[in-house]
Amino acid sequence: MEYDLSVKNVTKKFGEFTAVDSVSFDIVNGHFFSILGPSGCGKTTLLRMIAGFEHPSDGTIEIRGQDMKGIVPNKRPVNMIFQHLALFPMMNVAENIAFGLRRRGTPKNEVMPQVLTMLKRVGLPGFEQKRIDQLSGGQKQRVAIARSLILGPAVLLLDEPLGALDLKLREHMKVELKKLQAEIGTTFMYITHDQSEALVMSDYVAVMNQGRFEQVDTPSNLYNQPKTPFVAQFVGENNAWSGVVEKREGNIVEITTSEDHQFRVEVSEDINPSSTVDLFLRPEALLIEPDPSLTDINRFDVVVNSILFDGASSRLLVNPLNSDKEIIVALPQNKQYDHIKPKDKLVVGWSEKAGICFAKR
Amino acid sequence: MKKYRNWGFFIFLLPVLLWLFLLIVLPHIDLLIMSFRFEDDYGELTWGMANYKEFFGEPIYWLTFVRTAIYSLVVTFLTFVIGLPVAFFITKVVSVKYKGALTLLVLLPFWVSELVRVYGWMILLRESGVVNHLLLKTGLLAKPVEMLYNDAAMIMGLVYTTMLFMIVPLISVLDSLEDELIEAAFDLGGNARSVLFRIIIPYATPGIVSGSIVVFMLTLGNYLTPNLIGGKNSLWFTEQIYNQFIASFNWNQGSAFGFLLLILSSLIIWLGLKVSKQNLAKVVQ
Ligand SMILES: Nc1ncnc2c1ncn2[C@@H]1O[C@H](COP(=O)(O)OP(=O)(O)OP(=O)(O)O)[C@@H](O)[C@H]1O
Ligand SMILES: [Mg+2]
């Protein structure tokens, strides 16, 4: 496999503070690769090192097999979409897009045709004479992308480019961006703190926390098989318990949680009796009033606290009996559960296979 | 209610209008009238263009006029060339911590009057001054040279006196220039030269134009600095005006000169705005 970008043990220190801590990853040609992490975890710093605006304290960055050490930003075969887009306000749309070509010395008569082709490609034909302040948020977005893509970069670096858009437009641009990337086949490295952006668009996602990569995986693996408690909690919603392992039979452990629930969970890791564990469970893994004939199910009684209606992703907030721990339960909108009201008593249950356990270190 | 507001509006506008009318319009009308009056052969005041004819007929007058205009442009350009890097350094290079202190440092010399500042320069540059003293001591000079009273010293003095009026608008315009814009230009393959000429200068144009207008007008109308540092050779047009009013008591001739200077500065500023595609309202705000 060919790698457009290869990062090995890259570390960045600002004085005593380590912003990026020995991060390694490779991006396969033509992939959409995302870095997902909370604010301040070092995403922008990592991206700026790849673009050449910061220098790693340690480690190497290779773009298409070439070591980037000592190569200045304007000589690197990558381009960046900045967090606030950084369109040049004193130039019109065409001049913005032509900026890179002109710096590169592309013959004058070739610049304009290329700019027009690019504008068509991003869905803005006829916009070449518009001023930047005449554009809407989504249109600015496209101009910024066109301005970078016209240079044919090995990797396009995007720093939360959808952050400034309203929700509706963001949903739309997500799909658009993914389509555009598939169409032109350029490798994208996309940074975001919004998990749905990362999951929807990416071939691979790296989850980052406090300067380190927690897990690099496909979106479905991140969701279904998180490798660390942080990933389990950060990617998608999860209910969490902590407890002690009572005994182990084959792959099944029996756990007593700090709220005195007895749960049986299938585990893959070797978790020994009497160790403390964190247990995570997706809201959609919780069944409301499961059929009594079902076996291998953990059941417990709860009181409905409130109903959070949100169309297809509606939720029930419930408390276990005699406890104020809040548990989130998915509420399918199939008319079957329309009778549920706050203060109702229910039984909920979940399959032994659905929980994910991590031994506490 | 509506009427009430109109009265309020008028009351607040009144001082401005009075100020404009009494202190600016009225004296200028008087000057304009005076400039078209002259003493005929019998010593009678009559109407005519004689004062203006005198200006164009006497080379010393219009040569001084042209010289003043050209040197003012040179001074404006020099303040820009020096002011831009200084403003860029203060806004973009040093950390935010020192920005206030540095801006204050630029302002500091302007707390003393222009007269004192110019005398400061004279103490440094005159034949028995500090610079000559040091050069003699170190053996770089065999005997003292007169560094005052030449065009170079005068231009330097004028640049120094007006520097602030270029730097302040430049600082405020560069402050609003996001670092991202400069980085984006580098990212797209720009180098230091193209970033300066394609990004920084076009972005700073409103600040450059407003700074230039103020510096140009102040220099053109400056009397003190050319006179003290440039001495007898300064040949600054304001001296001609002064001479007409004070030395020859020819107020009519002086008024004509004053009006010519006003026309000149308006013309050059209008040209500057046209060339830089700015409009006055936008630049002044
Ligand atoms: N030039 C710098 N000097 C000192 N510390 C810095 C510098 N740049 C970033 N940091 C610190 O490094 C950490 C990571 O910053 P970074 O901008 O990479 O975060 P981020 O993941 O992009 O966050 P966000 O999602 O808010 O943009 C932050 O704690 C920040 O304070
Ligand atoms: Mg960031």
Side-chain angles (χ1 to χ4, degrees), chain A residues 48 53 73-74 78-80 82-91 99-100 103 147 151, chain B residues 177-178 180-192 194-195 198-200 202-203:
Chain A
R48 288 171 60 81
F53 293 115
N74 50 4
V78 292
N79 288 110
M80 186 154 165
F82 287 80
Q83 211 156 356
H84 306 288
L85 302 182
L87 295 176
F88 305 130
M90 54 283 183
M91 304 179 193
F99 186 86
R103 302 287 79 71
R147 187 177 71 170
L151 296 175
Chain B
L177 171 66
E178 282 175 52
E180 260 192 7
L181 239 48
I182 295 173
E183 285 181 346
F186 276 115
D187 187 64
L188 294 165
N191 51 26
S194 55
V195 168
R198 307 273 157 195
I199 309 294
I200 297 175
Y203 189 91

Side-chain angles (χ1 to χ4, degrees), chain A residues 168-268:
Chain A
K168 196 92 191 155
L169 192 55
R170 202 154 61 209
E171 294 299 317
H172 178 73
M173 285 302 292
K174 256 195 260 186
V175 181
E176 193 110 310
L177 209 56
K178 176 67 195 166
K179 271 210 302 234
L180 186 70
Q181 192 266 341
E183 211 177 282
I184 53 175
T186 303
T187 306
F188 275 36
M189 180 173 165
Y190 187 93
I191 278 190
T192 181
H193 61 255
D194 178 318
Q195 41 137 336
S196 105
E197 277 176 24
L199 299 183
V200 169
M201 293 193 276
S202 318
D203 296 304
Y204 275 88
V205 180
V207 179
M208 193 173 185
N209 182 30
Q210 297 189 342
R212 290 175 162 280
F213 274 8
E214 298 261 337
Q215 185 173 354
V216 184
D217 224 323
T218 59
S220 69
N221 278 353
L222 280 181
Y223 192 81
N224 294 318
Q225 291 154 36
K227 292 265 156 50
T228 67
F230 179 82
V231 176
Q233 272 185 313
F234 195 73
V235 180
E237 273 181 304
N238 246 326
N239 294 298
W241 285 272
S242 65
V244 183
V245 178
E246 299 293 341
K247 62 175 187 236
R248 175 161 188 157
E249 300 162 357
N251 275 343
I252 306 283
V253 290
E254 227 179 271
I255 297 169
T256 306
T257 69
S258 46
E259 290 88 15
D260 260 352
H261 289 297
Q262 308 283 327
F263 289 144
R264 288 163 60 83
V265 196
E266 195 178 299
V267 295
S268 47

Side-chain angles (χ1 to χ4, degrees), chain B:
Chain B
M1 185 66 200
K2 184 104 201 262
K3 210 165 185 179
Y4 193 70
R5 201 165 59 211
N6 280 346
W7 269 108
F9 178 71
F10 187 69
I11 286 169
F12 283 111
L13 196 65
L14 195 64
V16 180
L17 288 177
L18 272 179
W19 179 69
L20 269 176
F21 185 72
L22 290 179
L23 294 176
I24 298 178
V25 179
L26 213 58
H28 273 82
I29 291 174
D30 200 34
L31 280 178
L32 188 63
I33 293 170
M34 267 204 281
S35 75
F36 287 109
R37 310 267 286 163
F38 69 101
E39 283 185 25
D40 63 9
D41 297 342
Y42 310 104
E44 298 276 321
L45 270 181
T46 44
W47 294 94
M49 299 292 287
N51 294 322
Y52 292 93
K53 277 194 198 119
E54 171 80 4
F55 170 82
F56 288 105
E58 195 71 56
I60 183 75
Y61 292 150
W62 61 262
L63 278 178
T64 311
F65 188 73
V66 172
R67 182 184 138 94
T68 306
I70 291 173
Y71 272 17
S72 296
L73 287 174
V74 170
V75 167
T76 309
F77 181 72
L78 286 178
T79 48
F80 164 66
V81 168
I82 300 169
L84 188 69
V86 172
F88 188 81
F89 183 80
I90 290 177
T91 50
K92 295 287 161 214
V93 181
V94 296
S95 78
V96 197
K97 264 191 306 200
Y98 303 117
K99 203 164 100 183
L102 278 176
T103 314
L104 199 69
L105 222 60
V106 173
L107 274 167
L108 212 57
F110 291 82
W111 285 359
V112 296
S113 85
E114 188 184 348
L115 189 68
V116 178
R117 262 179 288 141
V118 169
Y119 272 115
W121 274 106
M122 294 178 77
I123 290 170
L124 285 180
L125 294 182
R126 69 184 169 189
E127 211 169 344
S128 56
V130 177
V131 173
N132 266 314
H133 184 74
L134 285 177
L135 288 178
L136 284 177
K137 266 274 155 61
T138 52
L140 285 171
L141 273 185
K143 63 180 207 290
V145 277
E146 182 56 271
M147 296 181 189
L148 284 174
Y149 314 124
N150 58 50
D151 288 359
M154 181 177 77
I155 285 182
M156 198 180 59
L158 283 167
V159 168
Y160 174 74
T161 0
T162 49
M163 199 62 180
L164 180 76
F165 301 96
M166 183 63 86
I167 289 182
V168 168
L170 283 182
I171 284 182
S172 89
V173 73
L174 286 182
D175 241 349
S176 70
L177 171 66
E178 282 175 52
D179 294 357
E180 260 192 7
L181 239 48
I182 295 173
E183 285 181 346
F186 276 115
D187 187 64
L188 294 165
N191 51 26
R193 195 187 137 83
S194 55
V195 168
L196 177 66
F197 287 104
R198 307 273 157 195
I199 309 294
I200 297 175
I201 291 183
Y203 189 91
T205 302
I208 296 170
V209 173
S210 75
S212 298
I213 288 176
V214 176
V215 168
F216 179 76
M217 291 202 283
L218 284 177
T219 308
L220 200 65
N222 198 329
Y223 178 75
L224 206 63
T225 307
N227 229 327
L228 289 180
I229 298 187
K232 285 271 173 298
N233 309 327
S234 67
L235 290 177
W236 210 253
F237 197 65
T238 47
E239 280 163 35
Q240 304 285 5
I241 299 177
Y242 178 86
N243 284 343
Q244 292 303 331
F245 275 111
I246 306 301
S248 348
F249 284 110
N250 191 345
W251 282 49
N252 304 87
Q253 186 67 58
S255 307
F257 283 2
F259 253 86
L260 285 166
L261 199 63
L262 181 69
I263 291 166
L264 175 74
S265 67
S266 311
L267 197 73
I268 289 184
I269 285 166
W270 177 79
L271 268 176
L273 288 170
K274 270 278 162 302
V275 170
S276 63
K277 298 200 184 70
Q278 301 286 314
N279 71 50
L280 197 59
K282 208 169 89 190
V283 162
V284 175
Q285 62 172 254

Side-chain angles (χ1 to χ4, degrees), chain A residues 17-90:
Chain A
F17 176 74
T18 309
V20 175
D21 193 357
S22 143
V23 160
S24 302
F25 62 95
D26 300 301
I27 305 183
V28 176
N29 291 6
H31 268 190
F32 196 119
F33 185 94
S34 292
I35 295 183
L36 172 64
S39 188
C41 71
K43 305 182 295 288
T44 299
T45 310
L46 179 57
L47 205 70
R48 288 171 60 81
M49 284 192 283
I50 295 166
F53 293 115
E54 304 274 2
H55 304 289
S57 317
D58 201 8
T60 57
I61 293 169
E62 285 177 12
I63 299 172
R64 290 201 168 142
Q66 194 196 350
D67 190 357
M68 285 293 121
K69 195 174 171 64
I71 296 185
V72 289
N74 50 4
K75 295 277 185 291
R76 293 189 182 203
V78 292
N79 288 110
M80 186 154 165
I81 309 284
F82 287 80
Q83 211 156 356
H84 306 288
L85 302 182
L87 295 176
F88 305 130
M90 54 283 183

